């Protein structure tokens, strides 16, 4: 960190404070749901379907029920409760048919984990294996329906579009201009297909929930490792037909989420078990294997893209079709698919375009939100295509992008006009290209010369954009109270599961109130009974939206403080100012009161009090967003765009196929750095997660659609040995007009387009275009050996099941 | 790990119908004697029996390092060690790092370098780092990478962790004369 020299114009915003939760986390004091024990708590284990698709013929639970220590055994016969964020398509317990290898067929709650496990082993289930839907092509044929009741599924009408009698959970569309004419008039039209497999989130704390559900009332108490306390409350209330006040959700520290803990997962099952066990609390915790094969993942995706360009390098037309292999349930998958229709041409101005994005049911592990929310996937398609176009046009890829990037006055895919306040994609690209020392592509001659040494270097870069993918009316709130000592306590409804949001929000409050950040207390623990509402902690919108709410609450707090102080100081509130924990008269500063003197009400020398405990609140709702038009996809989906770019330098070992990442330069137009240390952490973490998707991670299924690598042994994630030689973060600060101090979100963005930049650098090194992720050593070697210049799924050890 | 011990040294007895073994060891400088189930892992012993919840399980297979503790001077994954294997051992867990109400230099550097986000893997990283620095007060980057490559972190991208360990090594040499 020593070499970075970010300096802020503000006293507290922009300063590199230590994260507020750090001390508890380095001493082992931080308590996670995994650590919690409640009086009388039982432990549960699940029996998962051993088939991707099967009919449950019979379940004999008698031996499990008879086992001493077993308190409850549940099967699909015991409950018909359905859950789902946007599509109510998932049974808590399977009945009739199982839809993937991880579907819960039965669950056992017992005095301890071992007894629950033994109980599960005593369950006798007879299955009739059925032909599964293995991939998107089989799904689109529609001979077998993953959900034969798709026509009746309750869903978010007008935003998602399930197709009748099909496996398409949602088909979202956008179109603009005259595409046919534009293709006819283009000087060059290039079509390509790109794909990437499902990838796991891998939070270090696996999914875990403890639920106490009183069988004699509607009360349900939940403790969960989750990102969305208020979504859990709402879905539990909906699914169990109770009121939201009957449900209380507690979120202690969360051991990583990355989108995988958004929405609702193990909570309903634990609730059913608790009720069945007479109201004792039940803990359901996923094993690492279940984290891979039962809990949701990032969808596999296939992107087919056709682009028309003029010979001087202006993109005139794009037709893109994105098919998402979303597995057995829609979960967040349909919303991931929806992002493709407004973000699926990347940060480029394209006048004629159409995008079809289908979120498709198959009999695989289902998919959900994952850092980047569809954008890593679509940008793998877009940014590799851009690179290939520049090869074919013989134009430098930097110049080509600069000719087409969004700038003020241009329209996004959904028709939103970009202004200077949206930030600058061009600034980002120019910064990283300079940092990496780009001087143009390698010549074939240079490649051949380096090839003889066994190692070839390459440089590449890629653009990225993302706005929060959220309902048009997404909202959040903050409650702020002053303690007797003049310190401030804030409560939010969103969860800090490591992003550092509570520290950033405390900085904003400290800046507004002009008091030390150490005097601002903001807990990352959420209790829905006390904390104010937040929609979901996802989408890189927490600092942006809650930051604005904190500013509003702080200003209300100051107004109230000045009202009391004015009375006590016998003046007008308008004559008062604040600084360093003191309210003072602007022209006569010795007429002053400390925050502490008015925190709980001001007391006159004779004991009389005025004012009372200081409390303020702030709400923030997305401004001016609309649902997208169902056919054209036009509208306003983006509360705040964050643009960025990565440039990389790599070295490919042509014998082993391994790729060493020498340098990554990453620029993001974040408007305003709130805390450089925390932003740097997001960039390092995001880049490495992106490198995981680029180089090594991916689900592998066998012909029966069984996941073959549900463990750390077979599903590697990057370790310390995989870090790049250097990561250079670059912060571009074109302020966002409605961001807190001009700031934009950047939680997910560092991960997006890392694979694209690597893929482009591989082309620079080898002169070969890879179309499939991951760019594993095997894929690189097979690609080289094939002698082809374009490596498709059929050329490498592609993941069975995607096609 | 020393596997040469003869199991017969353990005194096994039956307690409410369950086999139990008496285990004595030193944890964070405190002598501990407990009756344990012979099949209990060291991780579960530390958490369930001694209520030291700082040590985490994230895979249960010795693949991720979240449960790393120091046993007789070595960093070990406590989820794949039986409690009875720790008979007579000296154990340090994350709870044993801060002394006299003050964070250790290593912990301070994890805080100041932002070497943690969600924090779930942090105790394991701290213990692997502690064991490394105890044996090698002046490690090279490669030696740190080798020593910590068995610990998985999904949040930080590891680079801040590497900085923290390097700076802690430097400060320990300077301030503690290691």
């Amino acid at each position: 960190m020593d070499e970075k020299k970010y300096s802020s114009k503000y006293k507290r915003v922009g300063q590199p404070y230590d994260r507020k939760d750090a001390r508890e986390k380095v001493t082992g004091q931080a308590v996670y749901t995994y650590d919690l024990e409640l009086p009388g708590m039982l432990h549960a284990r699940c029996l998962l379907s051993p088939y991707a698709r099967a009919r449950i013929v019979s379940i004999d639970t008698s031996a499990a029920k008879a086992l001493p220590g077993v308190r409850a055994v549940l099967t699909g016969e015991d409950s018909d409760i359905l859950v789902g964020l946007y599509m109510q398509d998932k049974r808590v317990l399977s009945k009739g048919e199982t839809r993937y290898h991880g579907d819960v067929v039965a669950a056992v709650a017992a005095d301890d984990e071992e007894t629950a496990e033994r109980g599960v082993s005593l369950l006798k289930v007879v299955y009739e294996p059925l032909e599964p839907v293995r991939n998107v092509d089989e799904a689109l044929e529609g001979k077998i329906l993953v959900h034969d009741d798709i026509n009746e599924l309750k869903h978010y009408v007008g935003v998602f579009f399930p197709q009748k009698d099909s496996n398409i959970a949602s088909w979202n569309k956008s179109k603009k201009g005259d595409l046919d004419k534009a293709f006819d008039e283009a000087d060059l039209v290039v079509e390509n297909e790109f794909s990437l497999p499902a990838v796991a989130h891998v939070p270090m704390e696996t999914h875990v929930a403890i639920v106490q559900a009183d069988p004699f009332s509607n009360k349900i108490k939940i403790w969960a490792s989750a990102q969305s306390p208020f979504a859990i409350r709402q879905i539990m209330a909906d699914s169990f037909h109770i009121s939201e006040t009957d449900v209380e959700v507690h979120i202690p520290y969360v051991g990583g989420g990355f989108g995988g803990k958004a929405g609702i997962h193990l909570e309903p099952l634990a609730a059913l078990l608790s009720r069945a066990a007479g109201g004792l609390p039940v803990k359901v915790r996923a094993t690492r294997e279940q984290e891979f094969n039962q809990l949701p993942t990032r969808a596999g995706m296939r992107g087919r893209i056709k682009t028309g360009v003029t010979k001087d390098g202006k993109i005139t037309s794009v037709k893109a079709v994105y098919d998402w292999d979303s597995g057995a349930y829609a979960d967040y998958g349909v919303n991931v698919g929806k992002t493709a229709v407004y973000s699926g041409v990347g940060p480029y101005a394209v006048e004629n375009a159409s995008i079809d994005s289908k979120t498709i049911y198959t009999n695989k592990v289902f998919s959900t939100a994952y850092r980047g929310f569809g954008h890593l996937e679509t940008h793998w398609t877009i940014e590799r295509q851009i690179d290939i176009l520049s090869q074919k046009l013989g134009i430098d890829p930097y110049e080509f992008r600069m000719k087409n990037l969004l700038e003020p006055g241009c329209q996004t895919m959904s028709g939103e006009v970009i202004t200077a306040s949206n930030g600058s994609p061009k600034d980002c690209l120019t910064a990283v290209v300079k940092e990496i020392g780009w001087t143009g592509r390698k010549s074939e001659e240079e490649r051949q010369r380096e090839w003889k040494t066994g190692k070839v270097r390459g440089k590449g870069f890629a653009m990225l954009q993302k706005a929060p993918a959220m309902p048009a009316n997404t909202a959040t709130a903050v409650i702020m109270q002053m303690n007797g000592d003049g310190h401030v306590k804030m409560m939010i409804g969103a969860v800090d599961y490591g992003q550092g949001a509570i520290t950033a929000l405390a900085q904003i409050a400290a800046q507004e109130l002009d008091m030390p950040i150490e005097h601002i207390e903001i807990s990352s623990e959420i209790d829905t009974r006390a904390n104010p509402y937040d929609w979901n902690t996802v989408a890189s919108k927490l600092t942006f939206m809650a930051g604005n709410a904190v500013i509003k609450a702080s200003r209300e707090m100051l107004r109230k403080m000045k009202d009391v102080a004015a009375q006590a100081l016998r003046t007008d509130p308008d004559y008062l100012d604040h600084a360093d924990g003191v309210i003072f008269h602007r022209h006569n500063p010795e007429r002053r009161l400390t925050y502490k003197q008015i925190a709980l009400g001001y007391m006159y020398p004779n004991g009389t009090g005025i004012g009372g405990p200081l409390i303020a609140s702030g709400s923030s709702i997305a401004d001016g967003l609309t649902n997208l038009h169902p056919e054209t996809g036009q509208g306003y989906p983006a509360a705040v765009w964050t643009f960025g770019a990565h440039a990389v330098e790599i070295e490919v070992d042509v014998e082993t196929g391994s790729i060493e990442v020498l340098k990554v330069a990453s620029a993001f137009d974040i408007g305003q750095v709130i805390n450089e240390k925390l932003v740097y952490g997001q960039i390092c973490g995001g880049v490495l997660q992106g490198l995981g998707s680029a180089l090594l991670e991916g689900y592998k299924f066998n012909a029966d659609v069984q996941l073959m690598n549900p463990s750390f042994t077979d599903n590697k994630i990057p370790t310390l040995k995989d870090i790049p030689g250097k990561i250079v973060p670059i912060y571009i600060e074109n302020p966002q007009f409605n961001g807190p101090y001009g700031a934009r979100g950047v939680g997910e963005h560092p991960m997006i387009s890392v694979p694209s930049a690597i893929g482009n650098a591989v082309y620079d090194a080898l002169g070969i275009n890879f179309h499939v992720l991951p760019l594993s050593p095997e894929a690189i070697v097979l690609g080289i050996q094939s002698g082809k210049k374009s490596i498709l799924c059929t050329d490498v050890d592609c993941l069975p099941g995607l096609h | 790990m020393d596997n040469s011990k003869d199991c017969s040294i353990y005194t096994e007895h039956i307690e409410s119908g369950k086999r139990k073994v008496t285990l004595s060891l030193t944890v964070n400088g405190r002598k501990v004697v407990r009756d344990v189930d012979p099949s209990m892992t060291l991780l579960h012993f530390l958490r369930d029996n001694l209520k030291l919840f700082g040590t985490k399980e994230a895979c249960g297979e010795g693949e991720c390092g979240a449960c790393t503790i120091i046993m007789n001077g070595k960093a070990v994954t406590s989820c794949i060690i039986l409690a009875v294997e720790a008979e007579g051992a000296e154990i340090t867990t994350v709870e044993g790092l801060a002394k006299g109400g003050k964070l250790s230099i290593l912990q301070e550097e994890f805080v100041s370098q932002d070497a943690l986000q969600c924090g779930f893997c942090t105790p394991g990283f701290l213990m692997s780092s502690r064991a490394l620095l105890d044996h090698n007060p002046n490690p090279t980057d490669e030696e740190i990478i080798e020593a910590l490559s068995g610990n998985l972190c999904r949040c930080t991208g590891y680079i801040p962790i590497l900085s923290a360990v390097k700076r802690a090594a430097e400060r320990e040499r300077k301030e503690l004369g290691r």
Side-chain angles (χ1 to χ4, degrees):
Chain A
M1 305 273 303
D2 306 306
E3 47 199 84
K4 285 179 297 293
K5 299 177 278 294
Y6 178 80
S7 82
S8 175
K9 56 180 181 266
Y10 301 108
K11 194 164 156 190
R12 292 181 173 103
V13 161
Q15 301 304 330
Y17 293 106
D18 294 340
R19 66 173 60 235
K20 281 194 159 279
D21 44 335
R23 294 178 75 86
E24 272 186 277
K25 287 177 175 175
V26 295
T27 52
Q29 299 303 307
V31 173
Y32 300 78
T33 305
Y34 155 67
D35 297 317
L36 282 183
E37 291 176 346
L38 296 180
M41 187 175 84
L42 306 176
H43 296 263
R45 281 281 190 243
C46 301
L47 176 69
L48 305 185
S49 171
Y51 299 100
R53 185 165 167 259
R55 194 172 68 82
I56 300 168
V57 178
S58 65
I59 307 180
D60 180 356
T61 59
S62 54
K65 281 179 174 158
L67 184 69
V70 166
R71 306 293 195 101
V73 180
L74 290 180
T75 72
E77 297 300 325
D78 300 303
S79 167
D80 284 319
I81 283 185
L82 283 166
V83 291
L85 276 164
Y86 300 116
M87 305 272 295
Q88 232 180 46
D89 61 358
K90 189 173 191 297
R91 291 181 57 89
V92 176
L93 286 146
S94 296
K95 186 166 151 183
E97 203 171 299
T98 66
R99 296 193 170 87
Y100 76 109
H101 267 274
D103 246 343
V104 178
V105 172
V108 176
D111 292 341
D112 52 58
E113 281 189 357
E114 294 70 31
T115 309
E117 190 72 59
R118 217 170 308 141
V120 166
S121 73
L122 294 174
L123 294 164
K124 293 182 194 75
V125 187
V126 179
Y127 299 94
E128 180 194 340
L130 301 170
E131 186 71 12
V133 179
R134 294 179 181 80
N135 53 47
V136 293
D137 287 327
E138 286 184 13
L140 290 173
E141 275 176 33
K143 284 185 196 150
I144 300 164
L145 295 188
V146 176
H147 292 271
D148 56 13
D149 55 352
I150 185 165
N151 299 351
E152 285 89 50
L153 289 179
K154 194 174 149 194
H155 66 279
Y156 194 155
V157 177
V159 176
F160 302 109
F161 307 97
Q163 302 294 301
K164 276 205 177 341
D165 305 315
S166 81
N167 286 309
I168 301 172
S170 185
W171 185 344
N172 290 72
K173 301 171 188 177
S174 60
K175 64 175 97 159
K176 58 198 246 180
D178 188 339
L179 195 57
D180 292 339
K181 183 161 170 273
F183 278 129
D184 284 346
E185 289 173 5
D187 295 320
L188 175 69
V189 176
V190 175
E191 274 189 84
N192 276 303
E193 179 180 307
F194 301 90
S195 58
L196 64 171
V199 161
H201 306 76
V202 193
M204 293 312 291
E205 182 191 29
T206 58
H207 281 73
V208 51
I210 303 168
V211 180
Q212 184 159 26
D214 180 357
F216 308 107
S217 77
N218 288 336
K219 197 87 196 150
I220 298 183
K221 298 180 187 179
I222 299 170
W223 291 259
S225 182
Q227 294 175 221
S228 310
F230 291 89
I232 292 175
R233 186 176 74 168
Q234 181 238 316
I235 296 168
M236 287 295 289
D238 269 6
S239 295
F240 283 76
H241 307 293
I242 53 182
S243 95
E244 288 193 11
T245 47
D246 289 326
V247 184
E248 59 182 67
V249 183
H250 303 257
I251 313 285
Y253 278 119
V254 175
F258 315 109
K261 290 176 184 167
I264 189 164
H265 296 291
L266 299 174
E267 296 81 6
L269 178 64
L272 291 175
L273 286 166
S274 175
R275 273 192 184 169
L280 291 172
V282 174
K283 187 180 207 172
V284 184
R285 182 167 79 101
T287 62
R288 181 54 61 184
E289 183 178 344
Q290 288 163 349
E291 188 66 34
F292 281 114
N293 70 6
Q294 177 190 353
L295 276 307
T297 178
R298 186 175 84 199
M301 197 276 279
R302 175 177 71 194
R304 289 173 168 161
I305 188 164
K306 178 178 166 185
T307 311
V309 284
T310 62
K311 56 178 177 298
D312 58 351
K314 183 77 194 145
I315 298 171
T316 59
S317 42
V318 172
K319 179 175 167 55
V321 177
Y322 296 111
D323 290 330
W324 306 85
D325 187 341
S326 194
Y329 302 105
D331 201 90
Y332 268 103
V334 285
N335 204 24
V336 169
K338 192 190 118 187
T339 68
V341 306
Y342 63 81
S343 198
V345 297
Y348 300 100
V350 184
E351 284 179 14
N352 307 286
S354 83
I355 298 174
D356 289 85
S357 182
K358 299 185 204 92
T359 303
I360 297 166
Y361 286 129
T362 60
N363 290 114
K364 285 196 189 131
V365 184
F366 67 109
S367 81
T368 191
Y370 184 10
R371 193 176 199 168
F373 210 75
H375 286 64
L376 180 144
E377 300 92 305
T378 51
H379 281 64
W380 169 244
T381 304
I382 298 156
E383 286 299 299
R384 288 268 41 242
Q385 172 79 345
I386 291 277
D387 217 60
I388 292 169
L389 284 162
S390 78
Q391 295 162 23
K392 296 207 186 279
L393 287 163
I395 299 179
D396 182 273
Y398 168 70
E399 300 298 333
F400 180 50
R401 285 181 173 83
M402 290 300 276
K403 278 176 197 279
N404 292 287
L405 281 171
L406 290 170
E407 58 186 355
C410 294
Q411 281 189 15
T412 64
M413 182 64 207
S414 74
E416 176 192 354
V417 178
I418 290 294
T419 70
S421 163
N422 289 105
S424 168
K426 288 187 174 180
D427 287 0
C428 297
L429 181 61
T430 302
V432 296
V433 162
K434 183 169 168 233
E435 176 61 39
I436 208 82
W438 176 256
T439 53
R441 277 211 185 90
K442 208 165 250 177
S443 68
E444 194 52 44
E445 208 176 37
E446 286 171 300
R447 277 184 200 124
Q448 293 306 328
R449 205 165 40 236
E450 274 188 64
W451 198 284
K452 290 186 188 119
T453 69
K455 289 187 175 175
V456 191
R457 289 194 174 190
K459 291 177 181 175
F461 41 86
M463 295 303 304
L464 63 99
Q465 68 173 4
K466 189 183 178 291
M470 59 193 196
N473 63 346
T474 297
T476 195
V478 170
I479 296 172
M480 184 181 271
Q481 291 164 270
M482 196 166 275
N483 298 334
D485 56 5
H487 293 196
V488 161
K489 179 173 83 174
M490 277 201 294
M491 290 192 294
I492 58 171
V495 183
D496 187 341
Y497 43 97
Q499 326 87 303
I502 56 168
T503 309
L505 295 177
Q507 284 180 253
I508 293 172
Q511 179 70 40
E512 286 288 321
L513 299 169
D514 200 6
M515 58 193 284
I517 187 173
E518 294 77 17
H519 294 181
I520 312 268
E521 176 202 333
I522 171 167
S523 172
S524 68
E525 297 191 33
I526 307 293
D527 174 348
T528 53
R529 290 173 304 174
N531 294 59
Y533 172 84
D534 175 81
W535 168 62
N536 268 269
T537 319
V538 295
S540 313
K541 56 100 180 118
L542 175 49
T543 301
F544 176 77
M545 291 194 65
N548 281 331
V550 167
I551 290 174
K552 283 188 188 175
S554 303
R555 292 180 184 174
E556 183 183 308
M557 178 63 85
L558 284 168
R559 218 161 38 239
K560 290 184 168 175
M561 286 161 74
K562 285 173 185 172
D563 283 346
V564 179
Q567 207 178 333
L569 297 170
R570 293 171 192 170
T571 184
D572 190 289
D574 289 349
Y575 299 152
L576 296 178
D577 235 330
H578 74 282
D580 282 328
V582 174
I583 307 275
F584 60 93
H585 194 283
R586 204 170 296 136
H587 304 290
N588 200 352
E590 56 276 22
R591 289 168 73 187
R592 66 210 303 261
L593 288 172
T594 62
Y595 293 1
K596 186 181 170 181
Q597 283 176 287
I598 51 174
L600 302 180
Y602 174 74
M603 187 180 76
Y604 286 97
N606 73 349
T608 305
I610 55 165
L614 287 166
I615 179 164
S617 65
S619 290
S620 167
I621 188 160
D623 179 38
L625 302 191
T626 65
N627 291 340
L628 299 175
H629 187 281
E631 288 303 318
T632 67
Q634 300 299 291
Y636 297 91
V640 52
W641 286 104
T642 305
F643 298 109
H646 296 287
V648 301
E649 183 174 18
I650 62 167
E651 185 171 86
V652 186
D653 184 321
V654 296
E655 293 299 319
T656 65
S658 69
I659 292 173
E660 190 185 343
V661 182
L662 305 171
K663 182 171 179 178
V664 180
S666 302
F668 305 93
D669 196 339
I670 55 175
Q672 167 69 45
V673 171
I674 305 280
N675 182 323
E676 195 274 336
K677 211 186 266 191
L678 297 175
V679 183
Y680 179 64
Q682 290 306 300
I683 293 176
C684 288
V687 165
L688 204 68
Q689 249 180 64
L691 288 175
S693 288
L695 302 174
L696 57 149
E697 295 180 48
Y699 275 23
K700 295 184 190 236
F701 296 93
N702 67 10
D704 294 327
V705 214
Q706 183 173 8
L707 183 61
M708 299 306 285
N709 54 342
S711 72
F712 283 140
T713 317
D714 299 319
N715 206 328
K716 300 278 186 218
I717 64 165
T719 72
L720 193 46
K721 288 187 174 171
D722 300 302
I723 59 172
K726 196 172 189 185
I727 292 181
V728 182
I730 301 167
Y731 314 113
I732 311 283
E733 295 184 302
N734 294 306
Q736 173 78 20
F737 82 97
N738 58 352
Y741 292 84
R744 302 186 184 87
V746 71
E748 300 163 278
H749 304 72
M751 184 170 180
I752 303 167
S753 280
V754 171
S756 321
I758 298 282
N760 295 345
V762 169
Y763 174 78
D764 190 44
L766 303 178
I768 302 172
N769 281 307
F770 282 81
H771 293 234
V772 185
L773 288 177
L775 301 166
S776 63
E778 299 91 312
I780 296 289
V781 166
L782 287 167
I784 291 171
Q785 284 175 355
S786 74
K788 296 178 182 170
K789 291 291 171 197
S790 290
I791 308 304
L792 305 171
C793 217
T794 44
D795 299 311
V796 295
D797 176 27
C798 186
L799 306 151
L802 189 65
H803 287 257
Chain B
M1 206 169 48
D2 183 10
N3 286 322
S4 60
K5 276 185 193 160
D6 181 355
C7 283
S8 62
I9 66 164
Y10 304 116
T11 50
E12 196 178 301
H13 60 276
I14 306 292
E15 196 181 291
S16 23
K18 284 183 176 163
R19 287 168 68 217
K20 291 277 179 183
V21 166
T22 302
L23 178 65
S24 59
L25 70 168
T26 307
V27 179
N28 298 332
R30 202 163 56 94
K31 186 99 181 136
V32 171
V33 181
R34 290 282 197 284
D35 287 345
V36 299
D37 180 329
S39 67
M40 186 180 231
T41 63
L42 182 53
L43 172 69
H44 279 129
F45 174 70
L46 293 170
R47 289 178 59 87
D48 300 346
N49 219 311
L50 301 188
K51 303 294 176 193
L52 293 169
F53 288 107
T55 308
K56 308 298 185 197
E57 179 187 289
C59 75
E61 299 176 339
E63 291 280 352
C64 74
C67 65
T68 304
I69 55 149
I70 298 176
M71 179 159 117
N72 298 328
K74 281 185 179 169
V76 296
T77 45
S78 61
C79 75
I80 51 167
I81 291 176
L82 291 177
V84 293
E85 292 179 70
E87 169 65 27
E90 290 264 358
I91 283 178
T92 310
T93 69
V94 68
E95 289 90 347
L97 290 179
K99 294 208 170 69
K102 197 176 175 308
L103 295 190
S104 65
I105 289 171
L106 182 64
Q107 289 167 307
E108 282 179 0
E109 288 304 325
F110 266 63
V111 172
S112 78
Q113 295 303 299
D114 204 36
L116 58 106
Q117 289 181 25
C118 84
F120 203 78
C121 70
T122 308
F125 267 98
L126 284 165
M127 301 323 288
S128 292
S129 306
R130 184 69 266 146
L132 167 71
L133 297 183
D134 284 346
H135 290 103
N136 181 358
N138 192 7
T140 62
D141 281 13
E142 289 66 36
E143 285 168 335
I144 299 172
I145 289 170
E146 190 58 43
L148 302 185
S149 63
N151 290 74
L152 296 179
C153 169
R154 192 58 154 174
C155 297
T156 63
Y158 303 105
I159 292 172
I161 297 176
L162 183 60
S163 312
V165 177
K166 277 160 72 171
R167 289 173 58 112
E170 198 183 315
R171 276 187 59 199
E172 285 185 358
R173 288 198 307 279
K174 208 179 289 176
E175 295 170 33
L176 308 177
R178 296 180 78 96

